[in-house]
Amino acid sequence: MIRQANLYDISGMMKIIQEAQKYFKENGIPQWQNGYPDEKQIQSDIEENGTYVLEENNQIIGTFYITFKGDPYYKEINGNWLNTNKYAAVHRIAVLPSFKGKGLAGRLFQYAEKLTQEQGLRDIRIDTHELNHSMQNTLKKNGFVKCGNITIQNNEPRVAFQKELYLLHM
């Protein structure tokens, strides 16, 4: 079940993030190695009503944050976005390593797409580290297109992706 996160979920979400940080470190990926995201960031995301969790047997096994306000780091890209439409931005998506390979990230993306469409938007953007090949493969598998490279805080480079959605007709 995917649901909106609440403050009681922080410890479960932090477990996922810490496991992802450990995975990145073991695989030489310098993503999330500087204390980000921390509990303060996760709490802020929850308070903005932008965080969702995937739960199975009362255990949080996946999470993501979505915003419909755009992302200031997406203004400049070395490449080209697919269009200039308003978009949702997905960040801090992760699944517990013991649950990887089961299509759960795809379920989280499908839910993010549903939320995006409910806002009347038809585009989602996301970025990841250039060495995070597993996320890049997951993005491509879920219909995202590599658009170029961006720079986020602390001049960290990221690979940027976008997906155009078809609006649901009710």
Side-chain angles (χ1 to χ4, degrees):
M1 170 181 82
I2 299 174
R3 63 170 174 79
Q4 195 161 35
N6 61 58
L7 296 176
Y8 297 108
D9 297 322
I10 291 177
S11 63
M13 295 169 64
M14 287 307 298
K15 179 181 177 187
I16 294 171
I17 289 165
Q18 290 161 355
E19 290 289 328
Q21 290 167 330
K22 180 180 171 189
Y23 169 83
F24 291 152
K25 186 173 187 175
E26 290 171 353
N27 289 280
I29 302 168
Q31 186 173 356
W32 291 6
Q33 296 302 301
N34 59 358
Y36 170 90
D38 59 12
E39 282 191 34
K40 186 178 178 183
Q41 178 67 61
I42 299 305
Q43 181 177 339
S44 174
D45 291 349
I46 291 170
E47 290 170 351
E48 289 179 25
N49 297 316
T51 301
Y52 293 81
V53 293
L54 172 59
E55 229 177 14
E56 187 173 283
N57 297 322
N58 295 318
Q59 178 186 13
I60 296 172
I61 59 173
T63 183
F64 72 94
Y65 169 77
I66 188 168
T67 179
F68 306 105
K69 300 175 186 172
D71 186 309
Y73 296 111
Y74 292 176
K75 288 183 180 172
E76 293 185 33
I77 184 169
N78 182 4
N80 292 296
W81 293 112
L82 299 177
N83 56 52
T84 58
N85 297 340
K86 287 185 177 182
Y87 59 90
V90 172
H91 295 296
R92 296 177 280 290
I93 185 166
V95 173
L96 271 178
S98 56
F99 287 86
K100 284 189 175 187
K102 298 181 180 185
L104 299 180
R107 282 181 54 197
L108 293 174
F109 282 124
Q110 287 173 354
Y111 199 83
E113 290 173 21
K114 176 182 168 275
L115 295 170
T116 300
Q117 290 174 324
E118 287 173 356
Q119 293 293 315
L121 302 175
R122 56 173 292 228
D123 292 274
I124 297 178
R125 294 180 183 179
I126 188 170
D127 65 86
T128 191
H129 195 279
E130 63 187 350
L131 297 178
N132 191 345
H133 299 295
S134 61
M135 179 54 76
Q136 290 182 47
N137 290 336
T138 298
L139 290 167
K140 291 173 187 171
K141 183 178 175 182
N142 284 279
F144 286 81
V145 175
K146 181 180 174 182
C147 294
N149 298 296
I150 62 163
T151 303
I152 62 170
Q153 65 266 24
N154 302 321
N155 288 321
E156 293 183 36
R158 292 290 186 265
V159 182
F161 290 82
Q162 183 174 350
K163 182 174 182 178
E164 293 179 298
L165 308 174
Y166 297 100
L167 288 178
L168 296 174
H169 296 286
M170 306 286 173

